[in-house]
């Protein structure tokens, strides 16, 4: 299956300059038009133009005071380019009779006299300044005048580039600040989603994607935000694609447009144009790739944008390290809790059961006597019953302590912990979203969400956590999935309801087996609350578990 990364290495890479942003600068064009008009007045020419060509030989910038030059046909433009395109730094063109110059059949220019000079910017030829149609022949004074105006054009363009560079630097510094702020607001999957959303917004990308290791030796889009993110999320990257090349080279690149990729046909990814790939570097190791995509027709990414994008990708790598540290902390806390439970059971409940066993053994030994003492038997049995009763009390205390700790934790924080812990068994990070009346909640501190949270009693919170835990466990055991999502949807119209949907893209779970598994308990929990549960095929294959209860 083709993906947005499915480029062949023969597809041209366009390492664009900052010229495209200059083209869109109305003030620069206005200043250049004034200089072209001044050159015409000083030399007595009727029309003139400043022209730059792009990598494909097409006019990238045309500033003229003449509609005739602006509306030249393609063949006339080719002839004009052939005429002035070879003007280099330090040389000029002065033609008062074009008849000796070869031209395509039936191709003429509106004017027959022409002079031109090259315009240099930072010791490189940026474009050509040409004037046409003077009543008298052009002379050396006209050429000198044109060279002076050409120098003014060069200085004007350099000043515009400096302003552009300053604005670009300010933009990326702001982007770094926004991303850093989002990064330190949390260290879980939701926080990383927030970081990616910030990256997408401040880089003016339509979509931002983070590519990470997936199952086996494959790499997949584990996080995506923006246009078509739901289609891109979970996409497995081709081994010979651009992303793998960025990982290997540990260096970013810019791609002009996905329309130039012949292997992508009639796919949503075809709508993307300018794209940046930047490696996520952790020390000397590339741990992932940040991809920034813009729709076709959007402004290009500039060569100057690449190092800034690489810096933000490094920040994203650090955010991943924070996430892994948080995940390791959660696992460590879980192991410590298991160790504490094990110690409590060993030191209290199991010891009491051991004493009960000794008492019952003693009673059995008395029964072996020829005439067992009834009082002795009662004594042993009573002691055993007391030990068993004490053991039961100890276990109830341990279980109650666990429940009290769970209830002290915010429900949504608890569910985020469940999804974080499930990542180890799944091999990837499941997505977790909360919505109210079909509107996604962006913050756990949302007032409406907090009000709904307070309506959920402790027993229902335990049920909700059990549903998410069991659903993710079954996906890890049976589904062979590469992506899954957990969604909590609150409906507040009329009597409030909570809907939980857990969907994966795996091979599915046999619905005939669900009564025999832990899923049967989830159905019981829903029925007990007056709700329901269904298990069916997902929209894109896999399985969809739906669990709903009234609040």
């Amino acid at each position: 299956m083709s993906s947005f990364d499915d480029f062949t290495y023969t597809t041209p890479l366009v390492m664009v300059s900052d010229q495209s942003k200059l083209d869109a600068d109305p003030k620069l064009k206005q200043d250049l038009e004034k200089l072209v008009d001044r050159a015409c007045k000083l030399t007595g020419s009727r029309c003139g133009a400043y022209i730059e060509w792009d990598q494909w030989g097409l006019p990238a910038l045309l500033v003229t005071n003449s509609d005739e030059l602006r509306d030249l046909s393609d063949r006339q433009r080719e002839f004009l380019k052939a005429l002035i395109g070879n003007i280099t730094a330090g040389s000029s063109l002065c033609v008062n009779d074009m008849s000796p110059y070869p031209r395509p059949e039936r191709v003429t220019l509106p004017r027959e006299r022409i002079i031109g000079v090259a315009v240099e910017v930072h010791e490189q030829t940026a474009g050509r300044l040409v004037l046409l149609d003077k009543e008298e022949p052009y002379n050396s004074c006209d050429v000198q005048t044109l060279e002076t105006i050409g120098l003014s054009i060069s200085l004007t363009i350099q000043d515009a580039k400096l302003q552009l560079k300053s604005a670009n630097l300010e933009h990326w510094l702001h982007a770094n600040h926004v991303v850093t702020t989002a990064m330190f607001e949390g260290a879980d999957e939701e926080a990383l989603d927030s970081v990616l959303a910030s990256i997408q917004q401040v880089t003016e990308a339509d979509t931002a994607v983070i590519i990470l290791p997936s199952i086996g030796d494959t790499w997949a889009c584990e996080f995506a935000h923006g246009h078509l993110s739901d289609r891109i999320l979970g996409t497995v990257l081709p081994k010979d694609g651009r992303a793998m090349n960025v990982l290997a080279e540990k260096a970013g690149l810019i791609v002009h447009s996905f329309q130039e990729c012949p292997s992508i046909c009639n796919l949503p990814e075809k709508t993307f144009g300018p794209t940046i790939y930047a490696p996520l570097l952790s020390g000397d190791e590339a741990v992932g790739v940040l991809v920034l995509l813009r729709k076709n027709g959007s402004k290009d990414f500039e060569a100057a944008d690449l190092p800034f994008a690489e810096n933000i990708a490094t920040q994203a790598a650090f955010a991943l390290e924070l996430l892994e540290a948080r995940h390791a902390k959660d696992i460590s806390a879980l192991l410590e809790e298991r160790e504490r439970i094990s110690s409590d059971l060993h030191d209290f409940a199991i010891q009491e059961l051991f004493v009960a066993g000794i008492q019952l053994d003693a009673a059995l030994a008395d029964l072996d006597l020829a005439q067992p003492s009834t009082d002795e038997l009662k004594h042993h049995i009573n002691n055993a019953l007391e030990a068993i009763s004490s053991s039961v009390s100890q276990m109830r205390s341990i279980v109650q302590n666990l429940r009290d700790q769970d209830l002290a934790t915010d429900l949504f924080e608890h569910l985020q912990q469940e999804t974080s812990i499930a990542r180890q068994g799944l091999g990837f990070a499941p997505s977790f979203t909360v919505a109210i009346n079909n509107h996604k909640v962006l913050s756990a501190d949302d007032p409406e969400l907090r009000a709904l949270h307070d309506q959920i009693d402790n027993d229902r919170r335990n049920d909700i956590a059990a549903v998410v835990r069991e659903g993710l466990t079954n996906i890890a055991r049976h589904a062979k999935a590469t992506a899954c999502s957990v969604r909590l949807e609150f409906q507040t119209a009329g009597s409030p309801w909570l809907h939980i949907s857990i969907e994966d893209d795996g091979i599915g779970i046999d619905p005939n087996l669900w009564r025999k598994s832990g899923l049967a308990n989830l159905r019981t929990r829903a029925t007990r609350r007056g709700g329901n549960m269904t298990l069916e095929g997902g929209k894109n294959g896999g399985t969809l578990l739906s669990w709903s209860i009234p609040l």
Side-chain angles (χ1 to χ4, degrees):
M1 179 179 177
S2 299
S3 77
F4 69 83
D5 188 60
D6 222 358
F7 274 73
T8 59
Y9 286 112
T10 57
T11 304
L13 287 180
V14 182
M15 302 303 293
V16 294
S17 69
D18 53 7
Q19 188 60 50
S20 59
K21 286 187 178 179
L22 288 175
D23 300 346
D25 185 347
K27 183 179 183 303
L28 174 63
K29 286 189 174 182
Q30 186 179 34
D31 291 342
L32 294 181
E33 286 173 359
K34 290 179 180 179
L35 289 171
V36 170
D37 194 57
R38 183 181 300 175
C40 290
K41 291 178 179 178
L42 290 175
T43 59
S45 302
R46 292 188 181 179
C47 60
Y50 172 69
I51 308 173
E52 292 183 0
W53 284 275
D54 62 17
Q55 293 94 332
W56 296 277
L58 300 175
L61 180 62
L62 173 62
V63 178
T64 179
N65 60 352
S66 167
D67 290 337
E68 288 180 287
L69 290 179
R70 188 178 292 108
D71 298 332
L72 289 178
S73 66
D74 291 341
R75 299 185 73 188
Q76 286 176 318
R77 288 180 179 177
E78 284 297 320
F79 176 55
L80 180 62
K81 180 186 174 186
L83 194 64
I84 68 174
N86 292 324
I87 303 176
T88 58
S91 65
S92 61
L93 174 73
C94 183
V95 177
N96 288 304
D97 180 10
M98 289 193 186
S99 57
Y101 288 85
R103 70 186 76 184
E105 186 178 356
R106 298 179 182 176
V107 173
T108 60
L109 290 176
R111 311 293 179 224
E112 289 298 312
R113 293 193 177 99
I114 180 172
I115 59 172
V117 296
V119 175
E120 289 187 84
V121 176
H122 299 306
E123 299 182 350
Q124 290 185 340
T125 300
R128 277 82 179 179
L129 175 61
V130 296
L131 303 178
L132 299 94
D133 193 26
K134 182 180 179 181
E135 292 185 2
E136 301 295 328
Y138 285 110
N139 54 46
S140 58
C141 290
D142 294 328
V143 173
Q144 290 178 359
T145 299
L146 197 60
E147 288 174 343
T148 302
I149 298 295
L151 180 59
S152 297
I153 288 177
S154 174
L155 293 174
T156 300
I157 292 175
Q158 289 182 58
D159 180 64
K161 285 191 173 185
L162 285 174
Q163 293 185 33
L164 175 63
K165 185 177 181 179
S166 176
N168 197 43
L169 178 60
E170 183 179 354
H171 168 76
W172 283 102
L173 287 175
H174 171 69
N176 277 329
H177 172 72
V178 171
V179 172
T180 301
T181 301
M183 184 172 62
F184 284 104
E185 285 181 346
D188 52 20
E189 278 85 353
E190 183 179 354
L192 191 57
D193 283 334
S194 177
V195 169
L196 193 60
S198 298
I199 291 174
Q200 183 245 325
Q201 181 180 8
V202 298
T203 59
E204 299 177 357
D206 292 298
T207 306
V209 177
I210 290 181
I211 298 168
L212 297 173
S214 186
I215 299 174
D217 61 348
T218 63
W219 292 70
C221 302
E222 296 289 356
F223 295 90
H225 191 277
H227 179 60
L228 296 178
S229 58
D230 56 333
R231 298 290 302 274
I232 293 174
L233 192 65
T235 302
V236 177
L237 280 299
K239 294 184 178 180
D240 58 350
R242 297 294 181 202
M244 297 301 101
N245 188 46
V246 168
L247 281 168
E249 299 294 332
K250 300 178 184 177
L253 57 83
I254 298 176
V255 175
H256 178 64
S257 176
F258 280 91
Q259 286 188 322
E260 297 170 5
C261 178
S263 60
I264 297 181
C265 299
N266 301 320
L267 292 175
E269 290 84 352
K270 198 79 171 180
T271 63
F272 289 116
T275 304
I276 279 186
Y277 290 77
L280 274 63
L281 297 178
S282 178
D284 294 331
E285 182 183 1
V287 297
V289 179
L290 171 66
V291 185
L292 304 175
L293 304 108
R294 289 175 178 166
K295 296 178 184 177
N296 276 320
S298 301
K299 63 181 179 181
D300 284 331
F301 285 108
E302 315 300 339
D305 292 335
L306 187 56
F308 292 108
E310 290 175 330
N311 183 52
I312 282 185
T314 301
Q315 287 182 288
F318 182 57
L320 278 173
E321 290 181 10
L322 291 178
L323 176 61
E324 292 296 336
R326 175 67 180 272
H327 180 64
K329 182 180 178 181
D330 289 340
I331 296 298
S332 176
L334 179 63
L335 294 176
E336 288 179 3
E337 184 64 10
R338 288 178 177 176
E339 181 65 25
R340 186 189 66 79
I341 295 171
S342 176
S343 298
D344 286 350
L345 289 173
H346 178 271
D347 295 340
F348 300 105
I350 294 177
Q351 292 299 322
E352 295 289 350
L353 290 174
F354 181 71
V355 171
I358 292 176
Q359 295 295 330
L360 291 174
D361 283 339
L364 185 61
D366 285 345
L367 286 174
D368 290 337
L369 297 176
Q371 294 180 341
S373 169
T374 302
D375 292 337
E376 285 292 326
L377 286 175
K378 287 182 177 179
H379 175 72
H380 291 315
I381 292 174
N382 285 333
N383 286 343
L385 289 173
E386 288 178 4
I388 292 172
S389 178
S390 177
S391 176
V392 170
S393 296
Q394 292 288 348
M395 284 189 284
R396 282 177 175 170
S397 176
I398 292 171
V399 170
Q400 186 60 44
N401 185 43
L402 290 176
R403 285 183 173 176
D404 291 343
Q405 290 181 15
D406 283 345
L407 296 178
T409 303
D410 180 272
L411 173 61
F412 304 114
E413 181 181 345
H414 190 175
L415 296 180
Q416 287 173 346
Q417 290 175 358
E418 292 291 347
T419 57
S420 178
I421 292 171
R423 180 177 181 176
Q424 187 175 25
L426 291 168
F428 55 85
S431 67
F432 175 64
T433 57
V434 180
I436 300 175
N437 298 326
N438 297 319
H439 295 290
K440 184 178 179 180
V441 177
L442 301 178
S443 171
D445 296 325
D446 182 273
E448 189 175 3
L449 181 63
R450 300 316 306 173
L452 288 168
H453 178 276
D454 294 339
Q455 295 180 31
I456 305 173
D457 59 41
N458 292 336
D459 288 340
R460 281 180 170 80
R461 293 183 192 182
N462 283 332
D463 288 345
I464 294 168
V467 170
V468 173
R469 184 187 306 117
E470 184 66 28
L472 293 175
T473 298
N474 275 280
I475 293 173
R477 289 177 178 173
H478 307 297
K480 298 182 181 179
T482 60
C484 69
S485 63
V486 177
R487 180 180 176 87
L488 269 66
E489 172 76 34
F490 291 93
Q491 296 291 342
T492 61
S495 299
W497 274 70
L498 168 65
H499 305 277
I500 301 177
S501 60
I502 304 175
E503 186 173 7
D504 66 75
D505 64 351
I507 61 174
I509 301 174
D510 187 351
N512 295 320
L513 299 180
W514 70 294
R515 288 186 177 86
K516 301 178 183 178
S517 69
L519 293 174
N521 293 329
L522 303 187
R523 184 188 187 193
T524 301
R525 290 176 184 269
T527 304
R528 184 176 60 201
R529 306 292 178 194
N532 57 76
M533 172 184 158
T534 60
L535 193 70
E536 57 189 349
K539 297 178 182 177
N540 301 312
T543 302
L544 172 62
L545 185 155
S546 300
W547 191 90
S548 303
I549 60 169
L551 297 179

